Amino acid sequence: HYYSFDPSFSIRLILGTTMTCMIFNAVSSSFYYKKANLINIEYVKKNVWIIILSTCIGVFLTQFFSSSVMKMVFAAFCCYSGFNMVLRKKQQSLLKPNKMIVSLFGALCGFIGVGGASLFVSYFNNAEKMEFRESIGTSAAFQVPIAIVRSLSYLVLGLTTQTQQIDNVIGYIYVPAFLIISITAAIFVKIGVIISTKIPSAQLKKSLIFLPY
């Protein structure tokens, strides 16, 4: 509330801005992961339509819930993601390839406005048996359609409210934050990809415990 935004739509403004920033980050990281041959292209081609459709459903559902509910779901997601990484070894035998799981992840990402990297990485690594770095790269590729669908949805939904009357706000996107974060991401995303391809997989897994988004 530092910028005195109306609490009734502040959470959507935050999530809309975050997802718009994610477009550039996801596209950039996907480009570098593709160059490193760390994206399962065939899997992405077969399942991208599921991600797009389920994300749209998640976005649609946000209209029927208050910002307080969305905050609680978001907090629960962060907690679950952290535990999911910690308990991954115990879950391996329970995870099986299932398009329904991918759909649920997409809908959740659409609902609370996150990329869901920790969910997808864990699922790809354990259920789809992808190598851990390939799981990260494939997850980055999935975040591109998630971010695009989510951003366009927040732009359109926001333009039907009073947010367009606030300075520096378009739809549910706060332009100054979008510019600053996107420029910073464009500068550092290549460094992040390089680091992820160099450090041991075990350390990468531990790092995702503290980076649940």
Side-chain angles (χ1 to χ4, degrees), residues 67-122:
S67 60
S68 297
V69 172
M70 294 177 67
K71 289 177 182 178
M72 289 189 289
V73 174
F74 182 80
F77 165 80
C78 293
C79 293
Y80 170 78
S81 296
F83 285 116
N84 187 48
M85 288 296 166
V86 174
L87 302 175
R88 178 184 290 115
K89 290 184 179 180
K90 296 181 180 180
Q91 294 176 339
Q92 285 184 358
S93 61
L94 302 177
L95 289 172
K96 304 295 181 182
N98 191 327
K99 292 185 183 296
M100 183 59 68
I101 295 177
V102 178
S103 300
L104 290 174
F105 287 171
L108 179 62
C109 292
F111 183 76
I112 61 176
V114 297
S118 58
L119 296 178
F120 285 113
V121 170
S122 178

Short mmCIF file of all heavy atoms in Angstrom, two decimals, residues 67-122:
data_model
loop_
_atom_site.label_atom_id
_atom_site.label_comp_id
_atom_site.label_asym_id
_atom_site.label_seq_id
_atom_site.Cartn_x
_atom_site.Cartn_y
_atom_site.Cartn_z
N SER A 67 -9.76 -10.64 -2.91
CA SER A 67 -8.30 -10.53 -2.82
C SER A 67 -7.77 -11.27 -1.60
O SER A 67 -6.65 -11.80 -1.62
CB SER A 67 -7.88 -9.06 -2.78
OG SER A 67 -8.44 -8.40 -1.66
N SER A 68 -8.56 -11.33 -0.52
CA SER A 68 -8.13 -12.03 0.70
C SER A 68 -7.96 -13.53 0.43
O SER A 68 -6.99 -14.15 0.88
CB SER A 68 -9.16 -11.83 1.82
OG SER A 68 -9.25 -10.47 2.18
N VAL A 69 -8.89 -14.10 -0.31
CA VAL A 69 -8.79 -15.52 -0.66
C VAL A 69 -7.57 -15.76 -1.54
O VAL A 69 -6.83 -16.74 -1.33
CB VAL A 69 -10.07 -15.99 -1.39
CG1 VAL A 69 -9.89 -17.41 -1.92
CG2 VAL A 69 -11.26 -15.92 -0.46
N MET A 70 -7.34 -14.89 -2.50
CA MET A 70 -6.19 -15.04 -3.39
C MET A 70 -4.88 -14.95 -2.62
O MET A 70 -3.93 -15.68 -2.90
CB MET A 70 -6.24 -13.98 -4.49
CG MET A 70 -7.42 -14.16 -5.45
SD MET A 70 -7.52 -12.86 -6.68
CE MET A 70 -6.05 -13.18 -7.65
N LYS A 71 -4.83 -14.06 -1.61
CA LYS A 71 -3.63 -13.94 -0.79
C LYS A 71 -3.38 -15.24 -0.01
O LYS A 71 -2.24 -15.70 0.10
CB LYS A 71 -3.78 -12.77 0.18
CG LYS A 71 -3.72 -11.39 -0.48
CD LYS A 71 -3.94 -10.29 0.55
CE LYS A 71 -3.94 -8.93 -0.10
NZ LYS A 71 -4.20 -7.84 0.88
N MET A 72 -4.45 -15.82 0.53
CA MET A 72 -4.30 -17.06 1.29
C MET A 72 -3.86 -18.22 0.41
O MET A 72 -3.00 -19.01 0.79
CB MET A 72 -5.61 -17.39 2.00
CG MET A 72 -5.95 -16.47 3.15
SD MET A 72 -7.36 -17.02 4.15
CE MET A 72 -8.70 -16.73 2.99
N VAL A 73 -4.42 -18.30 -0.79
CA VAL A 73 -4.02 -19.36 -1.73
C VAL A 73 -2.57 -19.16 -2.14
O VAL A 73 -1.79 -20.12 -2.24
CB VAL A 73 -4.94 -19.36 -2.97
CG1 VAL A 73 -4.43 -20.36 -4.00
CG2 VAL A 73 -6.37 -19.69 -2.57
N PHE A 74 -2.19 -17.92 -2.36
CA PHE A 74 -0.81 -17.61 -2.75
C PHE A 74 0.16 -18.02 -1.64
O PHE A 74 1.20 -18.63 -1.90
CB PHE A 74 -0.69 -16.11 -3.03
CG PHE A 74 0.68 -15.69 -3.47
CD1 PHE A 74 1.08 -15.86 -4.79
CD2 PHE A 74 1.57 -15.12 -2.58
CE1 PHE A 74 2.35 -15.47 -5.20
CE2 PHE A 74 2.83 -14.73 -2.98
CZ PHE A 74 3.22 -14.90 -4.30
N ALA A 75 -0.18 -17.70 -0.39
CA ALA A 75 0.67 -18.06 0.75
C ALA A 75 0.77 -19.58 0.89
O ALA A 75 1.85 -20.13 1.14
CB ALA A 75 0.11 -17.44 2.03
N ALA A 76 -0.36 -20.26 0.71
CA ALA A 76 -0.37 -21.72 0.79
C ALA A 76 0.50 -22.33 -0.30
O ALA A 76 1.21 -23.32 -0.07
CB ALA A 76 -1.80 -22.25 0.68
N PHE A 77 0.45 -21.73 -1.50
CA PHE A 77 1.27 -22.21 -2.61
C PHE A 77 2.75 -22.11 -2.26
O PHE A 77 3.53 -23.04 -2.51
CB PHE A 77 0.96 -21.40 -3.87
CG PHE A 77 1.99 -21.56 -4.96
CD1 PHE A 77 1.97 -22.67 -5.79
CD2 PHE A 77 2.98 -20.61 -5.15
CE1 PHE A 77 2.92 -22.84 -6.78
CE2 PHE A 77 3.93 -20.76 -6.14
CZ PHE A 77 3.89 -21.88 -6.96
N CYS A 78 3.16 -20.98 -1.70
CA CYS A 78 4.57 -20.79 -1.35
C CYS A 78 5.03 -21.82 -0.33
O CYS A 78 6.11 -22.40 -0.44
CB CYS A 78 4.79 -19.37 -0.82
SG CYS A 78 4.57 -18.06 -2.03
N CYS A 79 4.19 -22.06 0.69
CA CYS A 79 4.54 -23.05 1.71
C CYS A 79 4.63 -24.45 1.12
O CYS A 79 5.58 -25.19 1.39
CB CYS A 79 3.49 -23.03 2.83
SG CYS A 79 3.46 -21.52 3.81
N TYR A 80 3.65 -24.79 0.28
CA TYR A 80 3.65 -26.12 -0.33
C TYR A 80 4.87 -26.31 -1.22
O TYR A 80 5.49 -27.39 -1.23
CB TYR A 80 2.39 -26.32 -1.15
CG TYR A 80 2.44 -27.59 -1.99
CD1 TYR A 80 2.24 -28.84 -1.42
CD2 TYR A 80 2.75 -27.52 -3.35
CE1 TYR A 80 2.33 -30.00 -2.17
CE2 TYR A 80 2.84 -28.68 -4.11
CZ TYR A 80 2.63 -29.90 -3.52
OH TYR A 80 2.72 -31.04 -4.28
N SER A 81 5.21 -25.28 -1.98
CA SER A 81 6.35 -25.39 -2.90
C SER A 81 7.63 -25.68 -2.15
O SER A 81 8.45 -26.50 -2.57
CB SER A 81 6.49 -24.10 -3.71
OG SER A 81 5.38 -23.90 -4.53
N GLY A 82 7.82 -24.99 -1.01
CA GLY A 82 9.01 -25.23 -0.21
C GLY A 82 9.05 -26.65 0.32
O GLY A 82 10.07 -27.35 0.20
N PHE A 83 7.96 -27.12 0.90
CA PHE A 83 7.89 -28.50 1.40
C PHE A 83 8.03 -29.51 0.27
O PHE A 83 8.60 -30.58 0.44
CB PHE A 83 6.58 -28.73 2.15
CG PHE A 83 6.54 -28.11 3.51
CD1 PHE A 83 5.64 -27.10 3.80
CD2 PHE A 83 7.42 -28.52 4.50
CE1 PHE A 83 5.61 -26.51 5.06
CE2 PHE A 83 7.40 -27.95 5.76
CZ PHE A 83 6.50 -26.94 6.04
N ASN A 84 7.50 -29.17 -0.89
CA ASN A 84 7.56 -30.06 -2.04
C ASN A 84 8.99 -30.35 -2.42
O ASN A 84 9.36 -31.47 -2.77
CB ASN A 84 6.81 -29.43 -3.22
CG ASN A 84 6.69 -30.38 -4.40
OD1 ASN A 84 6.31 -31.53 -4.23
ND2 ASN A 84 7.00 -29.89 -5.58
N MET A 85 9.83 -29.32 -2.35
CA MET A 85 11.24 -29.49 -2.68
C MET A 85 11.96 -30.31 -1.60
O MET A 85 12.78 -31.16 -1.90
CB MET A 85 11.91 -28.12 -2.83
CG MET A 85 11.51 -27.39 -4.09
SD MET A 85 12.05 -28.29 -5.57
CE MET A 85 11.08 -27.45 -6.82
N VAL A 86 11.63 -30.06 -0.35
CA VAL A 86 12.27 -30.77 0.75
C VAL A 86 11.93 -32.25 0.74
O VAL A 86 12.78 -33.12 0.97
CB VAL A 86 11.85 -30.16 2.10
CG1 VAL A 86 12.40 -31.00 3.26
CG2 VAL A 86 12.35 -28.73 2.21
N LEU A 87 10.66 -32.57 0.41
CA LEU A 87 10.18 -33.95 0.49
C LEU A 87 10.19 -34.68 -0.84
O LEU A 87 9.61 -35.73 -0.97
CB LEU A 87 8.75 -33.95 1.05
CG LEU A 87 8.57 -33.30 2.43
CD1 LEU A 87 7.09 -33.27 2.80
CD2 LEU A 87 9.37 -34.06 3.48
N ARG A 88 10.89 -34.12 -1.83
CA ARG A 88 10.83 -34.68 -3.18
C ARG A 88 11.19 -36.16 -3.22
O ARG A 88 10.54 -36.96 -3.88
CB ARG A 88 11.78 -33.92 -4.12
CG ARG A 88 11.79 -34.50 -5.52
CD ARG A 88 12.81 -33.82 -6.42
NE ARG A 88 12.36 -32.49 -6.74
CZ ARG A 88 12.98 -31.39 -6.35
NH1 ARG A 88 14.06 -31.47 -5.59
NH2 ARG A 88 12.54 -30.20 -6.68
N LYS A 89 12.22 -36.57 -2.53
CA LYS A 89 12.66 -37.96 -2.59
C LYS A 89 11.58 -38.92 -2.12
O LYS A 89 11.43 -40.02 -2.64
CB LYS A 89 13.93 -38.15 -1.76
CG LYS A 89 15.17 -37.48 -2.38
CD LYS A 89 16.41 -37.76 -1.57
CE LYS A 89 17.64 -37.12 -2.20
NZ LYS A 89 18.86 -37.39 -1.41
N LYS A 90 10.81 -38.51 -1.11
CA LYS A 90 9.75 -39.36 -0.61
C LYS A 90 8.57 -39.45 -1.57
O LYS A 90 7.79 -40.38 -1.51
CB LYS A 90 9.26 -38.83 0.75
CG LYS A 90 10.33 -38.89 1.84
CD LYS A 90 9.78 -38.38 3.14
CE LYS A 90 10.84 -38.44 4.24
NZ LYS A 90 10.31 -37.94 5.54
N GLN A 91 8.47 -38.45 -2.46
CA GLN A 91 7.33 -38.39 -3.36
C GLN A 91 7.60 -39.09 -4.70
O GLN A 91 6.68 -39.33 -5.46
CB GLN A 91 6.96 -36.93 -3.64
CG GLN A 91 6.45 -36.19 -2.42
CD GLN A 91 6.19 -34.74 -2.73
OE1 GLN A 91 6.73 -34.19 -3.70
NE2 GLN A 91 5.37 -34.09 -1.94
N GLN A 92 8.82 -39.41 -4.98
CA GLN A 92 9.18 -39.88 -6.31
C GLN A 92 8.35 -41.08 -6.74
O GLN A 92 7.90 -41.16 -7.87
CB GLN A 92 10.67 -40.22 -6.36
CG GLN A 92 11.54 -38.97 -6.42
CD GLN A 92 13.01 -39.33 -6.56
OE1 GLN A 92 13.38 -40.51 -6.59
NE2 GLN A 92 13.85 -38.33 -6.66
N SER A 93 8.16 -42.05 -5.86
CA SER A 93 7.45 -43.26 -6.25
C SER A 93 5.95 -43.03 -6.46
O SER A 93 5.27 -43.87 -7.01
CB SER A 93 7.65 -44.34 -5.16
OG SER A 93 7.12 -43.89 -3.93
N LEU A 94 5.43 -41.87 -5.96
CA LEU A 94 4.01 -41.59 -6.07
C LEU A 94 3.65 -40.82 -7.33
O LEU A 94 2.49 -40.81 -7.75
CB LEU A 94 3.54 -40.80 -4.84
CG LEU A 94 3.78 -41.47 -3.48
CD1 LEU A 94 3.33 -40.53 -2.36
CD2 LEU A 94 3.04 -42.79 -3.39
N LEU A 95 4.62 -40.14 -7.92
CA LEU A 95 4.35 -39.29 -9.08
C LEU A 95 4.40 -40.10 -10.37
O LEU A 95 5.35 -40.83 -10.62
CB LEU A 95 5.38 -38.15 -9.16
CG LEU A 95 5.24 -37.06 -8.10
CD1 LEU A 95 6.42 -36.11 -8.18
CD2 LEU A 95 3.94 -36.29 -8.28
N LYS A 96 3.35 -39.97 -11.18
CA LYS A 96 3.27 -40.63 -12.47
C LYS A 96 2.90 -39.59 -13.54
O LYS A 96 2.21 -38.62 -13.23
CB LYS A 96 2.23 -41.75 -12.45
CG LYS A 96 2.45 -42.81 -11.36
CD LYS A 96 3.73 -43.59 -11.60
CE LYS A 96 3.92 -44.65 -10.51
NZ LYS A 96 5.19 -45.40 -10.68
N PRO A 97 3.33 -39.79 -14.79
CA PRO A 97 2.95 -38.86 -15.85
C PRO A 97 1.43 -38.76 -15.96
O PRO A 97 0.74 -39.77 -16.05
CB PRO A 97 3.57 -39.48 -17.10
CG PRO A 97 4.72 -40.30 -16.59
CD PRO A 97 4.24 -40.85 -15.27
N ASN A 98 0.92 -37.56 -15.94
CA ASN A 98 -0.53 -37.36 -15.97
C ASN A 98 -0.82 -35.95 -16.46
O ASN A 98 -0.40 -34.97 -15.84
CB ASN A 98 -1.12 -37.56 -14.56
CG ASN A 98 -2.63 -37.63 -14.58
OD1 ASN A 98 -3.30 -36.99 -15.39
ND2 ASN A 98 -3.19 -38.42 -13.67
N LYS A 99 -1.55 -35.84 -17.58
CA LYS A 99 -1.89 -34.52 -18.13
C LYS A 99 -2.78 -33.73 -17.18
O LYS A 99 -2.78 -32.49 -17.21
CB LYS A 99 -2.56 -34.67 -19.49
CG LYS A 99 -1.64 -35.20 -20.58
CD LYS A 99 -2.34 -35.21 -21.93
CE LYS A 99 -1.45 -35.80 -23.02
NZ LYS A 99 -0.24 -34.98 -23.25
N MET A 100 -3.54 -34.42 -16.33
CA MET A 100 -4.40 -33.72 -15.38
C MET A 100 -3.57 -32.92 -14.38
O MET A 100 -3.96 -31.82 -13.98
CB MET A 100 -5.29 -34.72 -14.65
CG MET A 100 -6.28 -34.07 -13.68
SD MET A 100 -7.38 -32.89 -14.50
CE MET A 100 -8.36 -34.03 -15.50
N ILE A 101 -2.43 -33.47 -13.97
CA ILE A 101 -1.56 -32.76 -13.05
C ILE A 101 -1.05 -31.48 -13.70
O ILE A 101 -1.03 -30.41 -13.08
CB ILE A 101 -0.38 -33.65 -12.61
CG1 ILE A 101 -0.88 -34.84 -11.80
CG2 ILE A 101 0.63 -32.84 -11.80
CD1 ILE A 101 0.21 -35.80 -11.38
N VAL A 102 -0.64 -31.58 -14.96
CA VAL A 102 -0.16 -30.41 -15.70
C VAL A 102 -1.27 -29.36 -15.79
O VAL A 102 -1.04 -28.16 -15.64
CB VAL A 102 0.33 -30.80 -17.11
CG1 VAL A 102 0.76 -29.57 -17.89
CG2 VAL A 102 1.48 -31.80 -17.01
N SER A 103 -2.50 -29.83 -16.03
CA SER A 103 -3.65 -28.92 -16.12
C SER A 103 -3.89 -28.20 -14.80
O SER A 103 -4.16 -27.00 -14.77
CB SER A 103 -4.91 -29.69 -16.53
OG SER A 103 -4.76 -30.31 -17.77
N LEU A 104 -3.81 -28.94 -13.69
CA LEU A 104 -4.03 -28.35 -12.38
C LEU A 104 -2.95 -27.31 -12.06
O LEU A 104 -3.25 -26.25 -11.50
CB LEU A 104 -4.04 -29.44 -11.31
CG LEU A 104 -5.25 -30.38 -11.32
CD1 LEU A 104 -5.07 -31.50 -10.30
CD2 LEU A 104 -6.54 -29.60 -11.02
N PHE A 105 -1.70 -27.62 -12.44
CA PHE A 105 -0.62 -26.67 -12.23
C PHE A 105 -0.88 -25.39 -13.03
O PHE A 105 -0.69 -24.28 -12.53
CB PHE A 105 0.72 -27.27 -12.63
CG PHE A 105 1.23 -28.32 -11.69
CD1 PHE A 105 2.34 -29.09 -12.02
CD2 PHE A 105 0.62 -28.55 -10.47
CE1 PHE A 105 2.82 -30.06 -11.16
CE2 PHE A 105 1.10 -29.52 -9.59
CZ PHE A 105 2.20 -30.27 -9.95
N GLY A 106 -1.31 -25.55 -14.28
CA GLY A 106 -1.59 -24.39 -15.12
C GLY A 106 -2.71 -23.54 -14.55
O GLY A 106 -2.62 -22.30 -14.54
N ALA A 107 -3.77 -24.19 -14.08
CA ALA A 107 -4.91 -23.46 -13.50
C ALA A 107 -4.48 -22.72 -12.24
O ALA A 107 -4.90 -21.58 -12.00
CB ALA A 107 -6.04 -24.43 -13.20
N LEU A 108 -3.66 -23.36 -11.41
CA LEU A 108 -3.18 -22.73 -10.18
C LEU A 108 -2.33 -21.50 -10.51
O LEU A 108 -2.48 -20.44 -9.88
CB LEU A 108 -2.36 -23.72 -9.36
CG LEU A 108 -1.77 -23.19 -8.05
CD1 LEU A 108 -2.88 -22.76 -7.10
CD2 LEU A 108 -0.89 -24.25 -7.39
N CYS A 109 -1.46 -21.64 -11.51
CA CYS A 109 -0.63 -20.51 -11.93
C CYS A 109 -1.50 -19.36 -12.45
O CYS A 109 -1.24 -18.19 -12.18
CB CYS A 109 0.35 -20.94 -13.02
SG CYS A 109 1.63 -22.08 -12.45
N GLY A 110 -2.54 -19.72 -13.19
CA GLY A 110 -3.45 -18.70 -13.70
C GLY A 110 -4.22 -18.02 -12.59
O GLY A 110 -4.48 -16.82 -12.66
N PHE A 111 -4.55 -18.75 -11.54
CA PHE A 111 -5.37 -18.21 -10.45
C PHE A 111 -4.59 -17.27 -9.56
O PHE A 111 -5.06 -16.18 -9.21
CB PHE A 111 -5.95 -19.35 -9.62
CG PHE A 111 -6.86 -18.88 -8.52
CD1 PHE A 111 -8.15 -18.45 -8.81
CD2 PHE A 111 -6.44 -18.87 -7.20
CE1 PHE A 111 -9.00 -18.00 -7.81
CE2 PHE A 111 -7.27 -18.43 -6.19
CZ PHE A 111 -8.56 -17.99 -6.50
N ILE A 112 -3.38 -17.67 -9.15
CA ILE A 112 -2.64 -16.85 -8.19
C ILE A 112 -1.53 -16.03 -8.83
O ILE A 112 -0.86 -15.26 -8.14
CB ILE A 112 -2.05 -17.72 -7.05
CG1 ILE A 112 -1.06 -18.76 -7.60
CG2 ILE A 112 -3.15 -18.40 -6.29
CD1 ILE A 112 -0.39 -19.56 -6.50
N GLY A 113 -1.32 -16.17 -10.13
CA GLY A 113 -0.37 -15.30 -10.81
C GLY A 113 1.08 -15.62 -10.58
O GLY A 113 1.89 -14.72 -10.30
N VAL A 114 1.46 -16.88 -10.66
CA VAL A 114 2.87 -17.28 -10.53
C VAL A 114 3.23 -18.16 -11.72
O VAL A 114 2.37 -18.67 -12.43
CB VAL A 114 3.13 -18.04 -9.22
CG1 VAL A 114 2.86 -17.15 -8.02
CG2 VAL A 114 2.29 -19.31 -9.15
N GLY A 115 4.54 -18.35 -11.91
CA GLY A 115 5.00 -19.21 -12.99
C GLY A 115 4.98 -20.68 -12.63
O GLY A 115 4.95 -21.55 -13.50
N GLY A 116 5.01 -20.97 -11.32
CA GLY A 116 4.93 -22.35 -10.86
C GLY A 116 6.16 -23.18 -11.15
O GLY A 116 6.08 -24.40 -11.32
N ALA A 117 7.33 -22.53 -11.17
CA ALA A 117 8.56 -23.24 -11.53
C ALA A 117 8.81 -24.44 -10.63
O ALA A 117 9.15 -25.53 -11.12
CB ALA A 117 9.75 -22.28 -11.48
N SER A 118 8.66 -24.27 -9.32
CA SER A 118 8.98 -25.37 -8.41
C SER A 118 8.05 -26.56 -8.62
O SER A 118 8.47 -27.72 -8.49
CB SER A 118 8.90 -24.89 -6.95
OG SER A 118 7.61 -24.40 -6.66
N LEU A 119 6.78 -26.30 -8.94
CA LEU A 119 5.84 -27.39 -9.20
C LEU A 119 6.21 -28.15 -10.47
O LEU A 119 6.29 -29.38 -10.48
CB LEU A 119 4.42 -26.84 -9.32
CG LEU A 119 3.82 -26.18 -8.08
CD1 LEU A 119 2.43 -25.64 -8.40
CD2 LEU A 119 3.74 -27.17 -6.93
N PHE A 120 6.44 -27.39 -11.54
CA PHE A 120 6.74 -28.03 -12.82
C PHE A 120 8.09 -28.75 -12.79
O PHE A 120 8.22 -29.86 -13.32
CB PHE A 120 6.75 -26.98 -13.94
CG PHE A 120 5.38 -26.54 -14.36
CD1 PHE A 120 4.95 -25.25 -14.13
CD2 PHE A 120 4.51 -27.43 -14.99
CE1 PHE A 120 3.68 -24.84 -14.52
CE2 PHE A 120 3.24 -27.03 -15.38
CZ PHE A 120 2.82 -25.73 -15.14
N VAL A 121 9.09 -28.13 -12.18
CA VAL A 121 10.41 -28.75 -12.12
C VAL A 121 10.34 -30.07 -11.37
O VAL A 121 10.89 -31.09 -11.81
CB VAL A 121 11.44 -27.81 -11.46
CG1 VAL A 121 12.74 -28.55 -11.18
CG2 VAL A 121 11.71 -26.61 -12.36
N SER A 122 9.67 -30.07 -10.23
CA SER A 122 9.54 -31.30 -9.44
C SER A 122 8.80 -32.38 -10.23
O SER A 122 9.22 -33.55 -10.25
CB SER A 122 8.79 -31.00 -8.14
OG SER A 122 8.61 -32.18 -7.39
#
